[in-house]
Structure formats: C-alpha cells, structure tokens
Amino acid sequence: MAKITKLDDIVSLCKRRGFIFQSSEIYGGLASCYDYGPLGVELKNNVKKAWWKAVVQMRDDVVGLDCSILMHPMVWKSSGHADKFADLIAECKKCNTRTRVDHLQTVVDDKEIKRTQELLESLSGQQPQPVSVNMPELLDKLLDVGQPQEHTEHIDIDAAMAKAQDLSNKVCPNCGTVGQFTEPMPFKLMFETRMGANVDDSMTIQLRPETAQGIFANFRNVLDTTRVKIPFGIAQIGKSFRNEVTTKAFIFRTREFEQAELEFFCEPGTDEQWFSHWKQARFNWYIELGMRKENLHFREHDADELAHYAKSCVDVEYRFPFGSGDWQELEGIANRTDYDLRQHQRGIRTLNKWYENNRELTNIELAREAEDYNKGPLSYFDDEKKQRYIPYVIEPSAGIDRSALAFLVDAYDEEEVRGETRNLLRFHPALAPVKAAVFPLVKKDGMPEIAKNIYNDLKKYFNCFYDEKGAIGRRYRRQDEAGTPFCLTVDGQTKEDTTVTVRDRDSMDQVRISTDQLLNHLREKLDM
Ligand code: GAP
C-alpha cells in the first residue's frame, strides 16, 4: 500500500506547489483533464526540450515538423483509425457503467465469490444476495493478482474481438456486480466535431488520436523540400485526443495529451537493425535524464497483441506506483513496415469516392492498391541504387505527460533531517523547472539589492527564482520541493569578499563561490 500513498503524495505535491491542477476546477473539474501550473509547464517544456534535443537537434538524420491537429478525414480512413480505433467494451446491466473488456477483473472461482459475499455481508450486516457492492477497493483486495490490468494500452480491436470471452465471472469495477454485462461492443475513440460555417460545405472531422499520421501525410513535402536521404526521420511533438473509456491515475491516461513521435524511414531489409537502434536509444534517454534503471524495462509485444500495422513492437515500461500491476507503458517502439505510406497511397486513389459520398466516410471502401504501388506518389527513389521503393518505418512514440509523471515519481523523495521530514524532487538539472533560487539571508543591510542583481544577471541564462520572504530554512525547503538544484544565499560575508553560499539540493552541502564565478560554476554543474 505504500506505493499507492506515493502517488497520492505526488498528486498533492503537484497541487500544493502548482505543478498540475484539475481542469476547470472552479466549476467542479472536468474528468481526466488537467492543467499544468507555473512549475508544471516548466517541467513539461523541459521534457519536450530534452526529447527534441536527443531526437532532432543532436542528430543529422532527423528533421522536425509541426502539423495541424485537424486533418482531412481521409487521413483516418487510410490509417485505419476511422474503422479500427476502438476499444472493446461491455456495459454493466446494473449501473450502466461501460468498462474495457480487457480491464475487467475476474473473480477466480465460486469459492472466491462466496468469500466476497460473506465479507460484504459481515461488513454491511446485509442478507445474502447476488454479489453486488459499492466498494471497488474491497474487490481489488479480493481479486486475483496477475489479471488484466486497468492500465494496459489499447489492443487491436480485431484481436480484442477474437479474444473476447465469457464475462460471467467478471466484476463491474463501479458497483461490484458479477457477470451482469451486455455483449462486448466496439467503442470508437476518436473525438468528432464539425468544421465549416456553411451548411453546404461543413463536414465531420476528427481530432487526431496520434501525431504520427501528420508525418506520413507530409512525407512527400519533406522529401521535396529538404535534402534528406533514406535513412532519415521526421519528428513531431503535439497534442492528441482519445475518448478513453478508462482514465484514472492522474495524468497517466487522459483524453487530451501530448505525444512525441518519430517516424524513421529506412530501406526494407534494414528495418530490424534500426528497430534495435531506436529501442536502445530511447531506453537510454530516460536513464540519461536520471530515471532509475531498476524502474525501467522493456516488454516485447506478443504476436496476438500487435497493432494491425506493426511487424514488431516493444514498450519501454516504468514501474508506476499505482494499480495492481506496477509496470506500465511509457513509450512504444514499433516497426510499422511500409503499411502507412501504402495505405495513404490507397487513400489518395479513394478521394473521388469520398467527394461522391457527400464527403462522409461512412460506406466508403479504400481503393485497391495499385499493382505498381512501389512507384506510387509516396515512394522513394534511391539515387545510388537507382531503385524505387516504399520505405519501412520505425516509430518510437512517447507520451510527454506520462513521461513527466514518471520523472516526477522517480524524482520524489522524503528524508528525515533533524527530526523533520524533508520532501524533495531530485530532478535531473535539465528537467528541473527552476535551476537556481537566489535569496538574501535577511531583508536588510543591502543584501536584497545584491541578491536582486545576481538574480537579474542569471535569469538571462536559465530559469531562476528570487525570494526574500520567511526564514531561510523554509525557503530552502520550498525549493527542495520544487526540485530546484541550487539555492544561492547572499549573507553578511558577501559584502566583505563578494562570495555567496551555493547550496546543493541533494546533499544540502554548501560552498562559497565568488559572484564573478557563479555563472560558470552553475553552468558546469547544470551541464548547460
Ligand atoms: N503512434 C503510435 C501511438 O500513438 P500509442 O501506444 O497509442 O501509440 C504512444 O501511444 C504513447 O502515447 C504511449 O506510450 C503513451 O505514453 C502516450 N499515450 C497514449 N494514450 C495516452 C493517453 N490517453 N494519455 C496519456 N498518454 C497517452
């Protein structure tokens, strides 16, 4: 149970210190939507910067892109999302709650049901009746571990339908009723809206459920306007939207979230080598940003859980402190083969049909693939080999919000210092929202003026914070909780020898540094 407390601690720290708030809180909140406060937005921006630096800036074979969220409806027909991006759900006949079938938990056997019943009776003093409770936490304790977890990602709808089993021993997570479900049915995950003011030309469009398709749709543009040559990648960070059935667990799974995706285009036959390359590169990224190795591992997808487009897929999983299973997906690395570009070639050939169908997707089939699809509009011509082909794609796809949560969890620490609990976030300097806080020891004797000057100089180079209110110990603690790596204090000695104390967040050690050396000292320590 200690681990659950830890997520609660993080949620409360995030709210208390302005990292993350519930969306629309003044109106009672909007489920599964969150807002990033002053410290949170810095953390999230730093996660994005670190990803961009590693995936785009430091590489000569990757370029960036920023596509619109709203795209042509045919994009989703071609990608398969319009028909297949759905979760298999079942509705509880008692309370009408819909749950993903793969997230339903099983009561192991009759004995277990009886035990549940007896326990509930003893707690509520009620007479025996069909198992029905309003205590999901209690059921959590009774249910078998190692069952499908509520935090698992989407599984391919065809695979889910094929696997759909008897629900007679499944428990409703809302009301606890056992085995009272409707037939499993697909639930579409894309949000829809209408675009256009005129009745004649308005149409239904979707909010993108992944950023990847914007990259495929721009593959030709990037080829034609840059000097990229295969192998090369196109990277993008941006918002995605999914009408998730199960949310919970804070910002782990939300309906609006940010993704950081790379589509790396390579010659067929070299795909497995690039898959290994990106698998390792992405794992190392988390480690280099300070995530503890024991909290990260790979999970290879079994053949029957692979998405319809993937030849192979591996997840980087993090040991999150919630749920009955700890390991949850942080990022997926997939070998998408030539599926997407080939599908978009079919989509381009279907465009007329879509116009004829009043620009609606319902009832239209994608055109058959051309026999010479290898020479189609989204093919690549290899100048050296004088060969044309559709490239294969390796896709590392990470969640920014989910990574930010994992970095928060991993950095969170509590320790006893002189009989008091010190809460701190041991962020890697690149991720820390504030890099240095500057304090005058007291609000007199010219100390605030000197401290303000130091602060004004340093903030040109990185995010700094100035604070002159309250006891110095309290100010240190506040910065520990915000994850600020260094606190600089101007004291009585500063006037004599122009040195200030620099306190290290993790060790709490203090050294005196001359003010003219401060910038260099901090840059070296922060690796900036
Ligand atoms: N283009 C492939 C793709 O979108 P995915 O596994 O569905 O693959 C990739 O998503 C990553 O995006 C996940 O590993 C996760 O980090 C993040 N993600 C997906 N759905 C999310 C949600 N509802 N809330 C927060 N993050 C999500």
Side-chain angles (χ1 to χ4, degrees), residues 62-97:
V62 179
V63 293
L65 197 69
D66 183 15
C67 307
S68 61
I69 287 171
L70 305 177
M71 297 184 73
H72 195 291
M74 276 302 299
V75 168
W76 310 116
K77 182 72 189 174
S78 308
S79 68
H81 285 87
D83 297 322
K84 292 188 186 244
F85 196 54
D87 276 337
L88 195 66
I89 57 160
E91 191 170 305
C92 171
K93 289 182 184 163
K94 182 138 188 257
C95 71
N96 299 111
T97 298

Side-chain angles (χ1 to χ4, degrees), residues 36-257:
Y36 287 80
L39 288 176
V41 69
E42 297 293 342
L43 170 65
K44 193 173 168 186
N45 282 342
N46 290 340
V47 173
K48 290 194 267 187
K49 271 189 227 158
W51 187 90
W52 197 264
K53 184 172 180 191
V55 175
V56 184
Q57 186 186 330
M58 296 303 288
R59 298 194 59 117
D60 299 330
D61 54 359
V62 179
V63 293
L65 197 69
D66 183 15
C67 307
S68 61
I69 287 171
L70 305 177
M71 297 184 73
H72 195 291
M74 276 302 299
V75 168
W76 310 116
K77 182 72 189 174
S78 308
S79 68
H81 285 87
D83 297 322
K84 292 188 186 244
F85 196 54
D87 276 337
L88 195 66
I89 57 160
E91 191 170 305
C92 171
K93 289 182 184 163
K94 182 138 188 257
C95 71
N96 299 111
T97 298
R98 292 172 164 192
T99 310
R100 272 171 58 175
V101 169
D102 60 320
H103 286 177
L104 285 171
Q105 292 199 296
T106 311
V107 171
V108 184
D109 54 28
D110 289 351
K111 263 196 249 149
E112 196 69 30
I113 296 178
K114 196 147 181 289
R115 203 157 70 83
T116 310
Q117 219 171 344
E118 284 166 5
L119 230 144
L120 294 168
E121 282 157 23
S122 70
L123 284 172
S124 65
Q126 282 170 8
Q127 289 305 305
Q129 46 181 271
V131 181
S132 174
V133 285
N134 283 319
M135 303 169 89
E137 349 46 81
L138 178 64
L139 281 162
D140 269 358
K141 286 181 203 137
L142 293 170
L143 295 168
D144 191 21
V145 284
Q147 291 190 39
Q149 307 303 335
E150 65 183 15
H151 302 289
T152 53
E153 290 313 302
H154 306 285
I155 46 178
D156 188 79
I157 189 70
D158 294 336
M161 306 264 265
K163 265 191 189 170
Q165 347 104 343
D166 174 23
L167 302 184
S168 59
N169 59 353
K170 299 285 181 185
V171 189
C172 171
N174 183 51
C175 70
T177 302
V178 178
Q180 296 293 312
F181 293 99
T182 60
E183 279 299 303
M185 55 194 156
F187 175 78
K188 293 213 170 179
L189 295 170
M190 277 199 294
F191 282 100
E192 285 190 345
T193 186
R194 297 287 300 172
M195 184 187 221
N198 299 320
V199 178
D200 292 351
D201 60 13
S202 83
M203 63 177 168
T204 304
I205 54 163
Q206 291 76 20
L207 301 190
R208 69 179 177 200
E210 62 172 23
T211 62
Q213 296 305 322
I215 297 179
F216 296 123
N218 278 288
F219 172 69
R220 185 83 257 155
N221 284 338
V222 174
L223 268 189
D224 291 347
T225 55
T226 65
R227 297 223 171 117
V228 290
K229 279 195 187 318
I230 274 177
F232 76 93
I234 306 179
Q236 157 158 247
I237 297 178
K239 288 249 175 170
S240 293
F241 302 82
R242 297 179 187 179
N243 195 8
E244 299 281 2
V245 180
T246 319
T247 49
K248 298 194 207 166
F250 201 32
I251 56 169
F252 177 82
R253 184 183 295 108
T254 49
R255 298 193 169 107
E256 173 182 344
F257 55 97

Side-chain angles (χ1 to χ4, degrees), residues 223-502:
L223 268 189
D224 291 347
T225 55
T226 65
R227 297 223 171 117
V228 290
K229 279 195 187 318
I230 274 177
F232 76 93
I234 306 179
Q236 157 158 247
I237 297 178
K239 288 249 175 170
S240 293
F241 302 82
R242 297 179 187 179
N243 195 8
E244 299 281 2
V245 180
T246 319
T247 49
K248 298 194 207 166
F250 201 32
I251 56 169
F252 177 82
R253 184 183 295 108
T254 49
R255 298 193 169 107
E256 173 182 344
F257 55 97
E258 240 170 317
Q259 287 185 309
E261 300 198 285
L262 167 71
E263 306 305 321
F264 194 82
F265 300 93
C266 60
E267 189 181 344
T270 64
D271 50 309
E272 284 176 22
Q273 166 206 326
W274 282 112
F275 182 76
S276 307
H277 168 89
W278 282 109
K279 180 177 156 184
Q280 212 47 57
R282 292 303 306 142
F283 190 87
N284 293 347
W285 181 80
Y286 294 99
I287 303 288
E288 281 156 19
L289 286 171
M291 215 171 257
R292 276 168 287 179
K293 209 169 180 180
E294 66 269 25
N295 290 336
L296 275 178
H297 75 188
F298 287 121
R299 189 183 73 82
E300 307 277 346
H301 283 216
D302 293 334
D304 65 351
E305 61 171 326
L306 282 178
H308 58 275
Y309 52 73
K311 173 174 162 187
S312 48
C313 188
V314 63
D315 290 341
V316 177
E317 290 193 330
Y318 180 76
R319 203 201 306 247
F320 278 102
F322 50 71
S324 31
D326 292 330
W327 293 100
Q328 310 295 341
E329 177 183 332
L330 257 192
E331 163 162 1
I333 298 124
N335 182 343
R336 293 182 79 123
T337 68
D338 52 3
Y339 176 84
D340 301 270
L341 293 176
R342 283 171 66 176
Q343 285 294 107
H344 286 298
Q345 289 194 155
R346 291 177 65 191
I348 297 167
R349 289 156 61 86
T350 316
L351 202 53
N352 281 344
K353 247 198 256 175
W354 177 75
Y355 278 111
E356 288 159 14
N357 196 42
N358 289 330
R359 302 185 310 166
E360 290 293 342
L361 291 182
T362 37
N363 306 325
I364 58 169
E365 291 285 321
L366 273 190
R368 283 166 66 136
E369 189 162 47
E371 288 207 349
D372 58 348
Y373 72 85
N374 260 328
K375 301 192 173 66
L378 301 183
S379 63
Y380 173 81
F381 184 70
D382 185 327
D383 264 338
E384 277 167 27
K385 295 190 178 158
K386 304 286 175 228
Q387 239 177 41
R388 201 169 258 290
Y389 58 86
I390 305 283
Y392 264 41
V393 173
I394 306 304
E395 177 197 66
S397 172
I400 294 293
D401 311 80
R402 207 173 276 188
S403 304
L405 179 61
F407 283 121
L408 268 164
V409 168
D410 216 71
Y412 184 81
D413 203 2
E414 287 178 4
E415 57 180 28
E416 280 300 294
V417 179
R418 287 184 288 278
E420 273 184 35
T421 305
R422 178 170 93 111
N423 293 332
L424 72 159
L425 288 168
R426 297 185 190 272
F427 283 134
H428 184 282
L431 298 182
V434 176
K435 311 299 181 198
V438 187
F439 311 140
L441 182 62
V442 287
K443 238 167 110 180
K444 57 182 186 184
D445 301 335
M447 291 183 209
E449 290 74 15
I450 301 173
K452 258 277 158 72
N453 282 340
I454 293 173
Y455 164 72
N456 284 331
D457 278 347
L458 292 178
K459 73 180 182 187
K460 292 178 212 150
Y461 304 96
F462 34 75
N463 219 9
C464 295
F465 184 76
Y466 176 81
D467 189 7
E468 56 182 27
K469 291 200 192 84
I472 192 75
R474 293 269 298 275
R475 281 182 269 167
Y476 285 150
R477 293 288 183 274
R478 277 184 67 76
Q479 292 307 313
D480 290 343
E481 228 185 21
T484 306
F486 297 104
C487 290
L488 323 179
T489 306
V490 171
D491 57 15
Q493 200 179 319
T494 309
K495 264 196 187 162
E496 289 164 24
D497 62 6
T498 69
T499 61
V500 297
T501 61
V502 177

